[in-house]
Amino acid sequence: MHLSMWTYPWDVQDLTPQRAVDDLAGSAGLNCISLATSYHAGRFLQPRSPKRKSYYPEDGTIYFRPTPALWEGLVIQPKLADVVAHDDVLADLVRRRDRGGMKVSCWTVCLHNTRLGMLHPHAVTRNAFGDPNYYNLCPSNPDARAYVTTLVQDVTHGYKPDVMELESPSFMGFAHEFHHEKDGVGMVAEDDFLLSLCFCPSCIERAAKAGVDAEQARATVRQWILDMSEREIPAARWPDFPAAGLDVFKPWPEVHAYLMWRFEPVTSLVRDIRERAFGGTKVYLIDLKDGWLGGCDIAQIGKVCDGAILCAYWMEPAAVEALMREGRLALGPDKYLGAGFRVFYPEMPSSEALIDRSRAAIAGGANGINFYNYGLIPEKRLGWVRRAVDAING
């Protein structure tokens, strides 16, 4: 069984690689470490670090040594994070693995990158009014696609990790914790979705090649956003959204056709990533329950990569098991299916809750579990992970 924990390079540095491996393999009983190799900005409370109690990582940087020749001529270029400029954490963990240690997974944020979006506004998603979402490079944009596929090619061929975990190779929501976001309207779920729909030139052109008229869809979506903006108080046009899925848009064929096409750039990007990745590295998508909101069709993506990790955040055991059964049905019997759990309080209130949800994931068809996050939780919660691992292995 594949058992891993999402981990930041700076936590491995602060606690030392040996301590990190001892904690994850020994205290938590895991057999893999999922190390961030490309990541976005944030502010993190650091309960474990002996050096600091909060940390602000550089926005949109990578945590492995790039191969310059691979990047020649590309418009979008990676930036090596200062924190690993003289300390290659990934290489250290790979060497330990090769001496019989834990497996290594590269947890890679793909298109969620505000630094690159600000530098390359032509490559970001844009709503129906043409407003840029600087935090989200567009999966239809050729330069964004070249950046992500080269990123994965570089790290997998250079370091040969066991697994590549793809976070955000897709469209992102409108409300996504950008700096000091303000919403005085009171958006409902459909409003966030409508504002997240991309009508950038790359999407319009790519859709046209598939016989889909994005301009007609954009006109309808623009009007819906205008309607939202004029409401006195929030009101849902489709009260059963998102539970009803894309069926709510069938009365508007131009919008429905565009939304059905929207899966193509994400699926084809994951396919291209898999084709350029090192053959010995498994490639998994990280996704959420309603991944279709971001253009992810798990059944189709499962045909072009090696599997998926579905994050079961804030879910009780019955919902966890149902999510895994849905994932297994979509992926088929032979592809990897993992569950993702945050060991955050109060989302995860006790070790018993983690045990119950972990058992539910395995009962639903999961092949493994990823836990979140090594440096963000108190040391004693590694014991919760160990008890959950023992329960599903027992």
Side-chain angles (χ1 to χ4, degrees):
M1 186 176 296
H2 182 78
L3 299 164
S4 193
M5 182 168 279
W6 286 304
T7 306
Y8 298 124
W10 51 88
D11 291 319
V12 176
Q13 291 174 323
D14 287 358
L15 290 159
T16 76
Q18 187 59 55
R19 171 70 182 276
V21 169
D22 288 345
D23 282 347
L24 295 175
S27 300
L30 306 176
N31 54 28
C32 183
I33 178 171
S34 294
L35 187 77
T37 48
S38 172
Y39 208 67
H40 49 72
R43 184 192 69 185
F44 304 112
L45 180 63
Q46 300 289 122
R48 302 291 311 286
S49 175
K51 298 182 178 180
R52 69 192 109 220
K53 288 303 168 215
S54 68
Y55 186 69
Y56 293 80
E58 290 179 81
D59 190 11
T61 56
I62 63 172
Y63 297 89
F64 67 92
R65 298 286 188 277
T67 306
L70 288 177
W71 295 93
E72 289 181 5
L74 295 189
V75 172
I76 302 179
Q77 296 282 321
K79 180 183 184 298
L80 180 65
D82 290 344
V83 72
V84 294
H86 305 290
D87 181 15
D88 195 338
V89 176
L90 179 58
D92 182 277
L93 293 172
V94 168
R95 285 192 294 269
R96 292 170 183 271
R97 177 203 64 186
D98 293 344
R99 296 196 298 266
M102 304 181 77
K103 294 184 295 183
V104 176
S105 181
C106 289
W107 166 30
T108 300
V109 173
C110 297
L111 297 173
H112 182 187
N113 197 311
T114 304
R115 184 186 69 83
L116 290 177
M118 291 289 189
L119 288 172
H120 304 282
H122 76 284
V124 304
T125 61
R126 292 179 179 267
N127 65 29
F129 288 85
D131 307 320
N133 298 313
Y134 290 113
Y135 53 85
N136 187 189
L137 300 175
C138 181
S140 291
N141 183 270
D143 291 330
R145 293 172 71 94
Y147 168 76
V148 174
T149 53
T150 304
L151 187 77
V152 174
Q153 177 186 0
D154 200 352
V155 69
T156 58
H157 285 268
Y159 292 82
K160 297 179 173 55
D162 300 273
V163 176
M164 165 62 59
E165 299 170 359
L166 304 175
E167 179 180 329
S168 70
S170 53
F171 299 100
M172 297 175 65
F174 179 73
H176 196 81
E177 300 179 5
F178 193 74
H179 187 61
H180 283 199
E181 288 187 356
K182 306 292 184 183
D183 165 25
V185 173
M187 292 190 303
V188 297
E190 68 189 48
D191 300 330
D192 180 84
F193 179 65
L194 294 175
L195 282 164
S196 78
L197 296 180
C198 182
F199 295 93
C200 74
S202 295
C203 277
I204 292 172
E205 180 181 354
R206 195 174 181 98
K209 290 179 179 178
V212 175
D213 190 338
E215 291 292 2
Q216 283 191 1
R218 177 162 71 168
T220 303
V221 172
R222 279 172 62 98
Q223 186 56 55
W224 286 338
I225 294 173
L226 288 173
D227 294 343
M228 172 204 76
S229 302
E230 295 171 0
R231 293 189 203 115
E232 183 175 2
I233 59 173
R237 183 185 299 269
W238 304 287
D240 56 349
F241 185 87
L246 295 180
D247 285 351
V248 300
F249 298 101
K250 284 185 174 180
W252 298 270
E254 73 283 6
V255 176
H256 188 260
Y258 187 69
L259 295 179
M260 296 305 294
W261 164 81
R262 188 168 170 258
F263 294 114
E264 187 280 330
V266 179
T267 300
S268 63
L269 177 58
V270 175
R271 178 202 64 208
D272 292 352
I273 288 171
R274 171 62 276 178
E275 289 178 353
R276 291 183 61 178
F278 173 63
T281 298
K282 300 292 186 182
V283 176
Y284 302 152
L285 171 72
I286 301 174
D287 206 2
L288 299 170
K289 178 181 184 297
D290 292 321
W292 59 269
L293 291 167
C296 291
D297 182 334
I298 292 297
Q300 294 303 312
I301 288 175
K303 295 176 182 177
V304 298
C305 71
D306 301 295
I309 300 168
L310 301 181
C311 297
Y313 298 158
W314 288 103
M315 290 185 185
E316 295 298 326
V320 172
E321 183 171 350
L323 176 64
M324 292 301 113
R325 290 194 184 281
E326 292 170 7
R328 176 53 66 206
L329 183 63
L331 290 171
D334 300 324
K335 294 297 177 84
Y336 177 80
L337 174 63
F341 294 116
R342 284 186 296 219
V343 196
F344 286 9
Y345 187 89
E347 176 181 344
M348 195 66 67
S350 65
S351 63
E352 290 75 20
L354 185 55
I355 289 170
D356 291 343
R357 296 177 199 187
S358 299
R359 282 175 166 162
I362 303 305
N367 304 112
I369 298 176
N370 274 46
F371 300 92
Y372 191 93
N373 176 293
Y374 176 61
L376 301 181
I377 61 174
E379 182 177 359
K380 290 182 179 179
R381 280 192 217 153
L382 294 176
W384 294 14
V385 174
R386 181 56 184 256
R387 287 190 282 278
V389 168
D390 289 344
I392 60 178
N393 279 335

